[in-house]
Amino acid sequence: MESAGKLYIVPTPVGNLEDMTFRAVKVLQEADLILAEDTRTSSVLLKHYDIHGKLQSHHKFNEHQTAAAIKDRIMAGLNVALISDAGTPGISDPGFLLARTCAYEGIEVQTLPGATACIPAIVSSGLPCDRFCFEGFLPVKKGRQTMLAQETRTMIFYESPYRLVKTLEQFAEYFGADRDCSVAREISKVHEEHRRGTLAEVAEWFREHEPKGEIVIIVAGAPVRKRKEESAED
């Protein structure tokens, strides 16, 4: 096992290319193989930093077929770096399966700290960020939203701009129209925007202003006192 290589999980910018860390650039420069969610998207980033490592596709449609083979190459001595189109691999992006496969084999998995959309969104929201839960992309069905109705921690969701208004309307239905929220759009890009207010107010804004780009929704948790009262009634 001493001759085995390592798996590096490397965050990439969610918008501004300057959000790469010095260490991330160094790891990608020195890696024997770079796995990318979309090689065309990643080629732009690598070219920007004059990185010419070997690039291979690794995405949600082929990761079950390729994870074992990549693990074997790492065990044979290759150092492999995994990146996604934007942000930290494994957070609503491919990465979990390969990381688990390598970890179970005793391969060293190093995840570099770096860019992700959810943390800037919650810190900028003005809502409590000492305790929060990350829910990622919700399924189309409403069941999970009903389960979260009594969650007291601040909640973080990812959403498509095409579904944003419908999702906010569903949140208003299950959490209450007066629940505070913040919608962050295009984080770290030129047109970054944070729209704050109640779920009803923010939904109304985006009904009148078509949303574009990457979306993060932050929703305030249920008041603790209200939750205790409802539990007592049950």
Side-chain angles (χ1 to χ4, degrees):
M1 199 63 196
E2 293 180 356
S3 61
K6 297 179 183 178
L7 173 64
Y8 294 93
I9 310 293
V10 183
T12 56
V14 296
N16 193 318
L17 290 180
E18 302 303 317
D19 287 339
M20 282 287 281
T21 67
F22 291 118
R23 184 183 174 207
V25 172
K26 185 174 186 291
V27 166
L28 293 178
Q29 288 174 335
E30 297 177 352
D32 298 305
L33 176 66
I34 300 174
L35 304 175
E37 185 177 2
D38 186 326
T39 55
R40 294 166 299 179
T41 299
S42 297
S43 292
V44 176
L45 174 70
L46 299 183
K47 182 179 179 180
H48 181 80
Y49 285 101
D50 196 28
I51 297 170
H52 305 286
K54 296 178 182 178
L55 197 59
Q56 178 178 319
S57 177
H58 182 82
H59 48 72
K60 64 180 180 180
F61 301 109
N62 72 359
E63 61 179 340
H64 284 83
Q65 289 74 39
T66 60
I70 294 167
K71 176 260 298 181
D72 290 341
R73 297 182 70 180
I74 297 173
M75 293 185 70
L78 258 64
N79 288 316
V80 175
L82 173 66
I83 59 177
S84 62
D85 289 349
T88 301
I91 305 299
S92 294
D93 281 322
F96 162 72
L97 181 61
L98 181 58
R100 181 178 66 178
T101 300
C102 290
Y104 282 2
E105 287 290 341
I107 293 170
E108 184 174 353
V109 179
Q110 288 192 10
T111 300
L112 280 62
T116 185
C118 59
I119 299 303
I122 189 172
V123 174
S124 297
S125 71
L127 296 172
C129 53
D130 55 332
R131 296 175 66 247
F132 59 87
C133 59
F134 175 76
E135 295 294 330
F137 288 96
L138 282 172
V140 177
K141 295 183 179 180
K142 301 179 183 179
R144 223 165 110 204
Q145 297 177 29
T146 305
M147 292 171 59
L148 291 168
Q150 299 306 314
E151 174 61 66
T152 58
R153 295 171 295 179
T154 302
M155 295 167 280
I156 305 174
F157 305 91
Y158 287 165
E159 190 52 278
S160 157
Y162 309 107
R163 286 185 45 83
L164 175 61
V165 171
K166 182 175 182 180
T167 296
L168 290 173
E169 290 172 344
Q170 290 176 347
F171 284 174
E173 177 184 352
Y174 285 99
F175 300 147
D178 60 348
R179 183 78 68 90
D180 287 332
C181 74
S182 173
V183 171
R185 189 178 67 82
E186 295 287 78
I187 288 175
S188 87
K189 298 181 181 178
V190 174
H191 300 292
E192 179 172 343
E193 175 188 20
H194 297 265
R195 182 60 50 180
R196 305 173 182 88
T198 65
L199 285 166
E201 291 169 344
V202 176
E204 179 62 27
W205 168 266
F206 283 110
R207 275 194 290 268
E208 298 177 0
H209 303 80
E210 182 181 359
K212 296 180 181 180
E214 304 296 324
I215 303 290
V216 183
I217 306 172
I218 310 296
V219 181
V224 176
R225 183 177 61 182
K226 180 180 179 181
R227 182 179 180 182
K228 287 181 178 178
E229 290 173 351
E230 291 180 353
S231 298
E233 291 174 1
D234 293 339

PDB file of all heavy atoms in Angstrom, residues 118-119 121-122 132-136 154-158 216-219:
ATOM      1  N   CYS A 118     -23.037  27.064  -1.482  1.00  0.00           N
ATOM      2  CA  CYS A 118     -23.967  27.127  -0.355  1.00  0.00           C
ATOM      3  C   CYS A 118     -23.475  28.011   0.791  1.00  0.00           C
ATOM      4  O   CYS A 118     -24.282  28.702   1.428  1.00  0.00           O
ATOM      5  CB  CYS A 118     -24.282  25.722   0.144  1.00  0.00           C
ATOM      6  SG  CYS A 118     -22.870  24.763   0.705  1.00  0.00           S
ATOM      7  N   ILE A 119     -22.172  28.008   1.075  1.00  0.00           N
ATOM      8  CA  ILE A 119     -21.678  28.777   2.221  1.00  0.00           C
ATOM      9  C   ILE A 119     -21.751  30.291   1.980  1.00  0.00           C
ATOM     10  O   ILE A 119     -22.267  31.028   2.837  1.00  0.00           O
ATOM     11  CB  ILE A 119     -20.251  28.341   2.598  1.00  0.00           C
ATOM     12  CG1 ILE A 119     -20.235  26.851   2.990  1.00  0.00           C
ATOM     13  CG2 ILE A 119     -19.713  29.200   3.740  1.00  0.00           C
ATOM     14  CD1 ILE A 119     -21.189  26.504   4.132  1.00  0.00           C
ATOM     15  N   ALA A 121     -23.810  31.786   0.135  1.00  0.00           N
ATOM     16  CA  ALA A 121     -25.235  32.113   0.077  1.00  0.00           C
ATOM     17  C   ALA A 121     -25.833  32.265   1.471  1.00  0.00           C
ATOM     18  O   ALA A 121     -26.572  33.216   1.739  1.00  0.00           O
ATOM     19  CB  ALA A 121     -25.986  31.041  -0.705  1.00  0.00           C
ATOM     20  N   ILE A 122     -25.514  31.341   2.390  1.00  0.00           N
ATOM     21  CA  ILE A 122     -26.119  31.432   3.727  1.00  0.00           C
ATOM     22  C   ILE A 122     -25.505  32.562   4.542  1.00  0.00           C
ATOM     23  O   ILE A 122     -26.197  33.269   5.274  1.00  0.00           O
ATOM     24  CB  ILE A 122     -26.035  30.088   4.481  1.00  0.00           C
ATOM     25  CG1 ILE A 122     -26.874  30.148   5.763  1.00  0.00           C
ATOM     26  CG2 ILE A 122     -24.605  29.705   4.794  1.00  0.00           C
ATOM     27  CD1 ILE A 122     -27.014  28.826   6.484  1.00  0.00           C
ATOM     28  N   PHE A 132     -27.341  24.920  10.474  1.00  0.00           N
ATOM     29  CA  PHE A 132     -28.090  24.847   9.221  1.00  0.00           C
ATOM     30  C   PHE A 132     -28.052  23.434   8.671  1.00  0.00           C
ATOM     31  O   PHE A 132     -27.245  22.605   9.087  1.00  0.00           O
ATOM     32  CB  PHE A 132     -27.530  25.835   8.181  1.00  0.00           C
ATOM     33  CG  PHE A 132     -26.080  25.624   7.831  1.00  0.00           C
ATOM     34  CD1 PHE A 132     -25.694  24.737   6.823  1.00  0.00           C
ATOM     35  CD2 PHE A 132     -25.091  26.324   8.508  1.00  0.00           C
ATOM     36  CE1 PHE A 132     -24.367  24.556   6.505  1.00  0.00           C
ATOM     37  CE2 PHE A 132     -23.746  26.153   8.191  1.00  0.00           C
ATOM     38  CZ  PHE A 132     -23.387  25.263   7.180  1.00  0.00           C
ATOM     39  N   CYS A 133     -28.954  23.138   7.739  1.00  0.00           N
ATOM     40  CA  CYS A 133     -28.949  21.836   7.076  1.00  0.00           C
ATOM     41  C   CYS A 133     -28.935  22.052   5.567  1.00  0.00           C
ATOM     42  O   CYS A 133     -29.591  22.958   5.050  1.00  0.00           O
ATOM     43  CB  CYS A 133     -30.153  20.982   7.494  1.00  0.00           C
ATOM     44  SG  CYS A 133     -31.769  21.705   7.137  1.00  0.00           S
ATOM     45  N   PHE A 134     -28.149  21.246   4.899  1.00  0.00           N
ATOM     46  CA  PHE A 134     -28.021  21.351   3.444  1.00  0.00           C
ATOM     47  C   PHE A 134     -28.885  20.271   2.810  1.00  0.00           C
ATOM     48  O   PHE A 134     -28.687  19.084   3.052  1.00  0.00           O
ATOM     49  CB  PHE A 134     -26.558  21.175   3.038  1.00  0.00           C
ATOM     50  CG  PHE A 134     -26.345  21.140   1.547  1.00  0.00           C
ATOM     51  CD1 PHE A 134     -26.398  22.310   0.808  1.00  0.00           C
ATOM     52  CD2 PHE A 134     -26.094  19.944   0.890  1.00  0.00           C
ATOM     53  CE1 PHE A 134     -26.219  22.284  -0.572  1.00  0.00           C
ATOM     54  CE2 PHE A 134     -25.906  19.911  -0.479  1.00  0.00           C
ATOM     55  CZ  PHE A 134     -25.963  21.090  -1.211  1.00  0.00           C
ATOM     56  N   GLU A 135     -29.851  20.682   1.989  1.00  0.00           N
ATOM     57  CA  GLU A 135     -30.773  19.731   1.369  1.00  0.00           C
ATOM     58  C   GLU A 135     -30.523  19.546  -0.119  1.00  0.00           C
ATOM     59  O   GLU A 135     -31.115  18.678  -0.748  1.00  0.00           O
ATOM     60  CB  GLU A 135     -32.228  20.194   1.589  1.00  0.00           C
ATOM     61  CG  GLU A 135     -32.664  20.182   3.042  1.00  0.00           C
ATOM     62  CD  GLU A 135     -32.705  18.763   3.613  1.00  0.00           C
ATOM     63  OE1 GLU A 135     -32.963  17.817   2.851  1.00  0.00           O
ATOM     64  OE2 GLU A 135     -32.467  18.610   4.818  1.00  0.00           O
ATOM     65  N   GLY A 136     -29.644  20.354  -0.708  1.00  0.00           N
ATOM     66  CA  GLY A 136     -29.322  20.195  -2.126  1.00  0.00           C
ATOM     67  C   GLY A 136     -30.539  20.392  -3.016  1.00  0.00           C
ATOM     68  O   GLY A 136     -31.405  21.224  -2.744  1.00  0.00           O
ATOM     69  N   THR A 154     -31.705  26.742   9.795  1.00  0.00           N
ATOM     70  CA  THR A 154     -31.768  27.377   8.488  1.00  0.00           C
ATOM     71  C   THR A 154     -31.500  26.316   7.425  1.00  0.00           C
ATOM     72  O   THR A 154     -30.627  25.469   7.586  1.00  0.00           O
ATOM     73  CB  THR A 154     -30.717  28.496   8.382  1.00  0.00           C
ATOM     74  OG1 THR A 154     -30.951  29.439   9.434  1.00  0.00           O
ATOM     75  CG2 THR A 154     -30.797  29.206   7.041  1.00  0.00           C
ATOM     76  N   MET A 155     -32.268  26.361   6.339  1.00  0.00           N
ATOM     77  CA  MET A 155     -32.181  25.328   5.303  1.00  0.00           C
ATOM     78  C   MET A 155     -31.588  25.891   4.015  1.00  0.00           C
ATOM     79  O   MET A 155     -31.884  27.026   3.632  1.00  0.00           O
ATOM     80  CB  MET A 155     -33.575  24.752   5.026  1.00  0.00           C
ATOM     81  CG  MET A 155     -34.179  24.008   6.205  1.00  0.00           C
ATOM     82  SD  MET A 155     -35.944  23.649   5.995  1.00  0.00           S
ATOM     83  CE  MET A 155     -36.666  25.254   6.430  1.00  0.00           C
ATOM     84  N   ILE A 156     -30.759  25.081   3.356  1.00  0.00           N
ATOM     85  CA  ILE A 156     -30.119  25.465   2.106  1.00  0.00           C
ATOM     86  C   ILE A 156     -30.575  24.520   0.998  1.00  0.00           C
ATOM     87  O   ILE A 156     -30.531  23.301   1.160  1.00  0.00           O
ATOM     88  CB  ILE A 156     -28.583  25.398   2.211  1.00  0.00           C
ATOM     89  CG1 ILE A 156     -28.073  26.242   3.380  1.00  0.00           C
ATOM     90  CG2 ILE A 156     -27.926  25.846   0.895  1.00  0.00           C
ATOM     91  CD1 ILE A 156     -26.572  26.091   3.619  1.00  0.00           C
ATOM     92  N   PHE A 157     -31.008  25.100  -0.115  1.00  0.00           N
ATOM     93  CA  PHE A 157     -31.452  24.312  -1.260  1.00  0.00           C
ATOM     94  C   PHE A 157     -30.785  24.828  -2.532  1.00  0.00           C
ATOM     95  O   PHE A 157     -30.550  26.025  -2.673  1.00  0.00           O
ATOM     96  CB  PHE A 157     -32.972  24.420  -1.445  1.00  0.00           C
ATOM     97  CG  PHE A 157     -33.783  24.050  -0.241  1.00  0.00           C
ATOM     98  CD1 PHE A 157     -34.150  25.022   0.687  1.00  0.00           C
ATOM     99  CD2 PHE A 157     -34.194  22.742  -0.033  1.00  0.00           C
ATOM    100  CE1 PHE A 157     -34.902  24.694   1.801  1.00  0.00           C
ATOM    101  CE2 PHE A 157     -34.952  22.411   1.088  1.00  0.00           C
ATOM    102  CZ  PHE A 157     -35.309  23.380   2.008  1.00  0.00           C
ATOM    103  N   TYR A 158     -30.515  23.918  -3.461  1.00  0.00           N
ATOM    104  CA  TYR A 158     -30.122  24.294  -4.809  1.00  0.00           C
ATOM    105  C   TYR A 158     -31.351  24.158  -5.704  1.00  0.00           C
ATOM    106  O   TYR A 158     -32.193  23.291  -5.476  1.00  0.00           O
ATOM    107  CB  TYR A 158     -29.013  23.378  -5.342  1.00  0.00           C
ATOM    108  CG  TYR A 158     -27.649  23.623  -4.726  1.00  0.00           C
ATOM    109  CD1 TYR A 158     -26.626  22.688  -4.877  1.00  0.00           C
ATOM    110  CD2 TYR A 158     -27.368  24.778  -4.010  1.00  0.00           C
ATOM    111  CE1 TYR A 158     -25.364  22.892  -4.334  1.00  0.00           C
ATOM    112  CE2 TYR A 158     -26.109  24.994  -3.455  1.00  0.00           C
ATOM    113  CZ  TYR A 158     -25.121  24.051  -3.622  1.00  0.00           C
ATOM    114  OH  TYR A 158     -23.877  24.267  -3.067  1.00  0.00           O
ATOM    115  N   VAL A 216     -29.270  29.465  -5.354  1.00  0.00           N
ATOM    116  CA  VAL A 216     -29.248  28.871  -4.011  1.00  0.00           C
ATOM    117  C   VAL A 216     -30.358  29.539  -3.204  1.00  0.00           C
ATOM    118  O   VAL A 216     -30.436  30.764  -3.147  1.00  0.00           O
ATOM    119  CB  VAL A 216     -27.898  29.075  -3.290  1.00  0.00           C
ATOM    120  CG1 VAL A 216     -27.915  28.360  -1.939  1.00  0.00           C
ATOM    121  CG2 VAL A 216     -26.743  28.582  -4.137  1.00  0.00           C
ATOM    122  N   ILE A 217     -31.220  28.728  -2.610  1.00  0.00           N
ATOM    123  CA  ILE A 217     -32.326  29.238  -1.779  1.00  0.00           C
ATOM    124  C   ILE A 217     -31.996  28.988  -0.310  1.00  0.00           C
ATOM    125  O   ILE A 217     -31.662  27.870   0.073  1.00  0.00           O
ATOM    126  CB  ILE A 217     -33.661  28.548  -2.113  1.00  0.00           C
ATOM    127  CG1 ILE A 217     -33.971  28.644  -3.609  1.00  0.00           C
ATOM    128  CG2 ILE A 217     -34.796  29.150  -1.289  1.00  0.00           C
ATOM    129  CD1 ILE A 217     -35.179  27.822  -4.033  1.00  0.00           C
ATOM    130  N   ILE A 218     -32.094  30.037   0.500  1.00  0.00           N
ATOM    131  CA  ILE A 218     -31.911  29.916   1.946  1.00  0.00           C
ATOM    132  C   ILE A 218     -33.259  30.199   2.611  1.00  0.00           C
ATOM    133  O   ILE A 218     -33.877  31.245   2.339  1.00  0.00           O
ATOM    134  CB  ILE A 218     -30.871  30.926   2.469  1.00  0.00           C
ATOM    135  CG1 ILE A 218     -29.574  30.865   1.640  1.00  0.00           C
ATOM    136  CG2 ILE A 218     -30.591  30.671   3.949  1.00  0.00           C
ATOM    137  CD1 ILE A 218     -28.836  29.563   1.716  1.00  0.00           C
ATOM    138  N   VAL A 219     -33.723  29.279   3.447  1.00  0.00           N
ATOM    139  CA  VAL A 219     -35.020  29.443   4.118  1.00  0.00           C
ATOM    140  C   VAL A 219     -34.818  29.370   5.625  1.00  0.00           C
ATOM    141  O   VAL A 219     -34.150  28.453   6.129  1.00  0.00           O
ATOM    142  CB  VAL A 219     -36.031  28.358   3.673  1.00  0.00           C
ATOM    143  CG1 VAL A 219     -37.373  28.559   4.372  1.00  0.00           C
ATOM    144  CG2 VAL A 219     -36.213  28.390   2.159  1.00  0.00           C
TER     145      VAL A 219
END
